[in-house]
């Protein structure tokens, strides 16, 4: 369905949930995962993004995330991140709840005051003992990087395939209570995030997808087939 501001019907009572994926950071210069030239074309998921891969070759996994973390130093938020931060500032966190699958920090650097990073964050690492201390981290992790709280070994604070994303109870609660749901720059193939639009839809929410690849989007969803950094600054969502 083509975008139509009247039918979007935003009111003072409305509450929005926004889900972003790798496409939101593409215009900042960070490769997506599944587009041509994407990260998973050059790396085997099972080697670098699973608990089994980490057990088998921790150095390879640590170095993979060191490279991702180093990339962040050379990129900046783009107009998509900035527009979403401005929207959240206007509406407040209660009425504009932002969930990202991205592990970069570009929403935060754009000024978003609330960002639920459901797949973890590159700029955090956590210890491997059951206390799960999470610490802010910049730079290069090695096998010798120890937890400042308990001296145990550390791992990237990333949700790998086979692991449960963070804060799922809060996410489900927000999805059940939203009136508007927007998903931007995600291929919608990785669950549970891929199922969020259906949960929001069954709560009666209006749904908007922004993606330059409009294939596979249900015809009942509003669809904007454009890059996020071009579409978002021009849209009146609230
Ligand atoms: N603006 C908006 N969308 C874009 C842009 C852009 N400029 N460029 C590309 N896209 C879209 C692509 O069309 C694609 O649908 O972004 C999507 C990127 O999809 P994926 O690479 O699959 O990324 P994502 O959906 O975020 O992946 C989900 O999978 O690999 C795991 O944990 C990782 O969080 C990731 C999850």
């Amino acid at each position: 369905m083509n975008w139509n501001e009247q039918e979007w019907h935003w009111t003072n009572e409305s509450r929005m949930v926004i889900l972003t994926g790798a496409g939101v950071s593409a215009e900042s210069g960070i490769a997506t995962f599944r587009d041509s030239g994407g990260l998973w074309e050059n790396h085997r998921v099972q080697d670098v993004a699973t608990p089994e891969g980490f057990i088998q070759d921790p150095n390879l996994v640590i170095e993979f995330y060191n490279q991702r973390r180093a990339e962040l130093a050379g990129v900046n938020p783009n107009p998509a991140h900035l527009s979403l931060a401005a929207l959240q500032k206007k509406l407040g966190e209660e009425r504009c709840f932002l969930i990202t699958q991205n592990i970069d920090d570009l929403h935060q650097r754009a000024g978003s005051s609330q960002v639920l990073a459901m797949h973890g964050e590159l700029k955090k690492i956590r210890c491997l003992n059951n206390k799960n201390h999470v610490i802010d981290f910049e730079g290069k992790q090695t096998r010798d990087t120890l937890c400042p709280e308990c001296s145990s070994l550390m791992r990237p604070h990333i949700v790998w395939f086979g692991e449960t994303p963070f804060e799922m109870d809060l996410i489900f609660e927000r999805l059940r209570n939203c009136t508007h749901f927007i998903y931007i720059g995600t291929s919608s193939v990785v669950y549970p995030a891929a199922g969020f639009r259906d949960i929001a839809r069954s709560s009666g929410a209006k749904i908007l997808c922004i993606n330059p690849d409009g294939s596979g989007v249900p015809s009942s969803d509003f669809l904007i087939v454009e890059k996020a950094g071009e579409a978002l600054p021009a849209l009146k969502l609230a």
Side-chain angles (χ1 to χ4, degrees):
M1 193 183 353
N2 284 335
W3 166 250
N4 178 313
E5 197 184 310
Q6 254 76 50
E7 286 177 37
W8 181 242
H9 195 62
W10 181 263
T11 73
N12 286 338
E13 314 304 316
S14 302
R15 292 169 311 279
M16 181 185 291
V17 173
I18 301 170
L19 171 70
T20 64
V24 157
S25 296
E27 289 156 86
S28 293
I30 299 180
T32 60
F33 295 96
R34 295 175 184 79
D35 292 313
S36 133
L39 264 184
W40 294 153
E41 219 168 73
N42 302 316
H43 301 272
R44 280 163 30 110
V45 171
Q46 57 270 43
D47 290 343
V48 295
T50 62
E52 296 76 21
F54 185 65
I55 290 166
Q56 203 168 322
D57 192 345
N59 289 324
L60 177 80
V61 175
I62 285 172
E63 193 44 41
F64 176 75
Y65 290 101
N66 280 339
Q67 283 175 19
R68 308 279 80 73
R69 198 176 300 116
E71 268 171 19
L72 291 186
V75 300
N76 290 306
N78 68 52
H81 301 104
L82 295 169
S83 299
L84 293 175
L87 183 65
Q88 194 173 47
K89 191 169 183 193
K90 176 178 169 186
L91 296 177
E93 296 167 18
E94 281 303 310
R95 299 184 64 213
C96 182
F97 189 72
L98 179 59
I99 306 167
T100 189
Q101 298 169 89
N102 299 342
I103 56 177
D104 63 48
D105 60 348
L106 295 181
H107 283 304
Q108 292 89 337
R109 276 159 59 191
S112 280
S113 50
Q114 171 275 322
V115 185
L116 198 164
M118 63 177 288
H119 288 170
E121 294 173 70
L122 276 171
K123 288 199 173 169
K124 290 184 177 168
I125 56 177
R126 75 168 182 269
C127 69
L128 285 168
N129 84 12
N130 57 13
K131 293 207 178 73
N132 278 330
H133 297 122
V134 178
I135 61 160
D136 292 335
F137 188 78
E138 306 253 4
K140 228 170 145 46
Q141 190 194 346
T142 69
R143 288 298 306 281
D144 300 327
T145 308
L146 298 181
C147 177
E149 303 280 335
C150 66
S151 301
S152 78
L153 296 170
M154 311 284 292
R155 60 166 274 181
H157 187 52
I158 303 293
V159 176
W160 288 324
F161 286 91
E163 298 183 318
T164 305
F166 298 121
E167 307 266 22
M168 288 307 297
D169 288 347
L170 175 59
I171 291 174
F172 287 137
E173 195 250 316
R174 291 302 183 126
L175 290 170
R176 281 194 298 267
N177 287 303
C178 73
T179 57
H180 293 71
F181 176 78
I182 309 175
Y183 58 112
I184 311 167
T186 177
S187 56
S188 299
V189 295
V190 174
Y191 283 81
F196 290 175
R197 68 178 174 201
D198 293 332
I199 297 172
R201 188 180 290 110
S202 63
S203 314
K206 291 176 187 281
I207 316 281
L208 166 63
C209 171
I210 301 174
N211 196 315
D213 174 2
S215 57
V217 175
S219 59
S220 55
D221 294 2
F222 290 111
L223 172 63
I224 298 178
V225 185
E226 282 178 35
K227 291 181 175 177
E230 291 168 7
L232 280 166
L235 268 182
K236 189 166 180 311
L237 293 166

